[in-house]
Amino acid sequence: MLESDKSRRLEFRFDSIYHHIYFMPMDVCGVRQLSILSVPDWKEKLLDLLFECEVRSFDKGLFEYDACVDGVYILSHLDGDIARLIRFREGIRDQTGRFEILCFPHQTDFLREYLGRMVNIKTIDMEAVEAELGLETPF
Protein backbone atom coordinates (compact mmCIF):
# COMPACT_ATOMS: atom_id res chain seq x y z
CA MET A 1 0.00 0.00 0.00
CA LEU A 2 2.79 2.39 0.81
CA GLU A 3 4.31 1.69 -2.60
CA SER A 4 1.12 2.97 -4.26
CA ASP A 5 2.05 6.45 -3.09
CA LYS A 6 5.33 6.23 -5.01
CA SER A 7 3.87 5.16 -8.35
CA ARG A 8 4.20 7.73 -11.11
CA ARG A 9 1.79 5.86 -13.35
CA LEU A 10 -1.58 6.06 -11.62
CA GLU A 11 -3.17 3.67 -14.11
CA PHE A 12 -0.86 0.89 -12.87
CA ARG A 13 -1.58 1.30 -9.18
CA PHE A 14 -3.52 -1.65 -7.82
CA ASP A 15 -6.14 0.65 -6.32
CA SER A 16 -6.76 2.18 -9.76
CA ILE A 17 -7.09 -1.19 -11.42
CA TYR A 18 -9.40 -2.61 -8.75
CA HIS A 19 -11.91 -0.12 -7.37
CA HIS A 20 -12.52 -2.23 -4.23
CA ILE A 21 -10.00 -4.52 -2.54
CA TYR A 22 -11.22 -6.16 0.64
CA PHE A 23 -8.68 -7.30 3.21
CA MET A 24 -9.91 -10.02 5.52
CA PRO A 25 -7.64 -11.61 8.09
CA MET A 26 -7.42 -15.39 7.91
CA ASP A 27 -8.93 -15.92 11.34
CA VAL A 28 -12.27 -15.81 13.13
CA CYS A 29 -12.54 -12.04 12.61
CA GLY A 30 -12.11 -12.47 8.86
CA VAL A 31 -14.81 -15.13 8.72
CA ARG A 32 -17.14 -12.81 10.61
CA GLN A 33 -16.34 -9.89 8.29
CA LEU A 34 -17.09 -12.08 5.28
CA SER A 35 -20.44 -13.05 6.76
CA ILE A 36 -21.29 -9.34 7.07
CA LEU A 37 -20.36 -8.81 3.42
CA SER A 38 -22.60 -11.71 2.43
CA VAL A 39 -25.73 -9.88 3.62
CA PRO A 40 -27.69 -8.62 0.59
CA ASP A 41 -27.09 -4.88 0.08
CA TRP A 42 -24.62 -5.00 2.99
CA LYS A 43 -22.93 -1.66 2.35
CA GLU A 44 -26.13 0.37 2.32
CA LYS A 45 -27.44 -1.47 5.39
CA LEU A 46 -24.20 -0.81 7.28
CA LEU A 47 -24.17 2.87 6.41
CA ASP A 48 -27.85 3.20 7.35
CA LEU A 49 -27.06 1.66 10.74
CA LEU A 50 -24.11 3.95 11.35
CA PHE A 51 -25.22 7.35 10.06
CA GLU A 52 -28.30 9.50 9.70
CA CYS A 53 -29.27 10.13 6.08
CA GLU A 54 -28.60 13.88 6.23
CA VAL A 55 -24.91 13.45 7.19
CA ARG A 56 -24.03 10.80 4.60
CA SER A 57 -21.94 11.69 1.55
CA PHE A 58 -23.57 9.20 -0.85
CA ASP A 59 -20.22 9.18 -2.74
CA LYS A 60 -20.65 12.83 -3.75
CA GLY A 61 -17.89 14.35 -1.64
CA LEU A 62 -14.64 15.85 -2.85
CA PHE A 63 -12.82 12.79 -1.53
CA GLU A 64 -13.65 9.31 -0.26
CA TYR A 65 -15.68 9.41 2.97
CA ASP A 66 -19.05 8.13 4.17
CA ALA A 67 -20.40 10.88 6.42
CA CYS A 68 -19.62 14.26 7.88
CA VAL A 69 -20.82 14.61 11.48
CA ASP A 70 -20.26 17.93 13.26
CA GLY A 71 -17.46 18.80 10.84
CA VAL A 72 -15.69 15.44 11.19
CA TYR A 73 -15.27 13.47 7.95
CA ILE A 74 -15.77 9.77 8.65
CA LEU A 75 -14.84 6.71 6.63
CA SER A 76 -16.28 3.35 7.62
CA HIS A 77 -13.59 0.69 7.26
CA LEU A 78 -15.75 -2.12 8.61
CA ASP A 79 -15.58 -3.84 5.23
CA GLY A 80 -11.76 -3.75 5.13
CA ASP A 81 -11.70 -2.04 1.71
CA ILE A 82 -8.06 -1.10 1.20
CA ALA A 83 -8.64 0.75 -2.09
CA ARG A 84 -11.11 3.13 -0.42
CA LEU A 85 -8.70 3.58 2.48
CA ILE A 86 -5.93 4.64 0.08
CA ARG A 87 -8.25 7.13 -1.61
CA PHE A 88 -9.35 8.49 1.78
CA ARG A 89 -5.73 8.96 2.88
CA GLU A 90 -4.86 10.72 -0.37
CA GLY A 91 -7.93 12.94 -0.05
CA ILE A 92 -7.10 14.17 3.44
CA ARG A 93 -3.32 14.41 3.09
CA ASP A 94 -3.20 18.11 2.22
CA GLN A 95 -6.39 19.20 3.92
CA THR A 96 -7.04 20.76 7.25
CA GLY A 97 -9.96 19.45 9.21
CA ARG A 98 -10.93 16.57 11.39
CA PHE A 99 -11.02 13.04 10.07
CA GLU A 100 -12.05 9.73 11.54
CA ILE A 101 -12.03 6.05 10.69
CA LEU A 102 -14.65 3.69 12.07
CA CYS A 103 -13.42 0.13 12.32
CA PHE A 104 -13.51 -3.11 14.26
CA PRO A 105 -11.05 -3.44 17.16
CA HIS A 106 -8.87 -5.96 15.31
CA GLN A 107 -8.23 -3.39 12.52
CA THR A 108 -6.84 -0.59 14.69
CA ASP A 109 -3.14 -1.53 14.68
CA PHE A 110 -3.05 -1.74 10.88
CA LEU A 111 -4.93 1.55 10.49
CA ARG A 112 -2.75 3.39 13.00
CA GLU A 113 0.39 2.16 11.21
CA TYR A 114 -0.92 3.20 7.78
CA LEU A 115 -2.56 6.52 8.74
CA GLY A 116 -0.40 7.61 11.65
CA ARG A 117 -1.92 10.52 13.53
CA MET A 118 -3.77 11.95 10.51
CA VAL A 119 -7.08 10.57 11.79
CA ASN A 120 -8.89 9.62 14.93
CA ILE A 121 -9.79 5.92 15.08
CA LYS A 122 -13.06 4.79 16.64
CA THR A 123 -14.11 1.20 17.03
CA ILE A 124 -17.38 -0.63 17.11
CA ASP A 125 -17.87 -4.18 18.39
CA MET A 126 -18.45 -6.73 15.69
CA GLU A 127 -21.20 -8.28 17.82
CA ALA A 128 -23.22 -5.05 17.68
CA VAL A 129 -23.00 -4.92 13.88
CA GLU A 130 -23.87 -8.60 13.52
CA ALA A 131 -26.87 -8.18 15.81
CA GLU A 132 -28.17 -5.17 13.87
CA LEU A 133 -27.82 -7.06 10.59
CA GLY A 134 -29.59 -10.10 12.05
CA LEU A 135 -26.52 -12.33 11.90
CA GLU A 136 -25.68 -14.89 14.51
CA THR A 137 -22.20 -14.72 15.93
CA PRO A 138 -20.63 -17.84 14.39
CA PHE A 139 -18.21 -18.55 17.22
Side-chain angles (χ1 to χ4, degrees), residues 32-105:
R32 292 171 72 185
Q33 273 183 268
L34 282 172
S35 71
I36 290 170
L37 271 59
S38 70
V39 171
D41 202 22
W42 62 269
K43 184 176 180 180
E44 193 60 32
K45 287 179 182 177
L46 268 178
L47 293 175
D48 279 346
L49 291 171
L50 298 170
F51 307 110
E52 298 294 327
C53 187
E54 57 271 5
V55 300
R56 290 196 35 209
S57 70
F58 294 101
D59 297 326
K60 294 180 180 158
L62 297 174
F63 59 94
E64 191 87 32
Y65 69 95
D66 293 312
C68 185
V69 179
D70 297 327
V72 179
Y73 292 92
I74 305 168
L75 177 77
S76 169
H77 190 65
L78 300 178
D79 57 6
D81 190 340
I82 292 175
R84 285 189 76 220
L85 183 63
I86 291 170
R87 292 189 297 271
F88 177 75
R89 181 177 178 226
E90 288 175 347
I92 68 171
R93 185 180 329 215
D94 296 325
Q95 292 193 39
T96 58
R98 296 181 310 167
F99 308 99
E100 187 173 285
I101 296 280
L102 180 63
C103 66
F104 292 122

Side-chain angles (χ1 to χ4, degrees), residues 1-10 13 15 86 89-90 93 114:
M1 287 178 47
L2 296 174
E3 290 301 312
S4 285
D5 291 342
K6 299 175 186 174
S7 178
R8 294 173 191 219
R9 304 270 321 259
L10 296 178
R13 287 178 30 167
D15 58 309
I86 291 170
R89 181 177 178 226
E90 288 175 347
R93 185 180 329 215
Y114 182 63

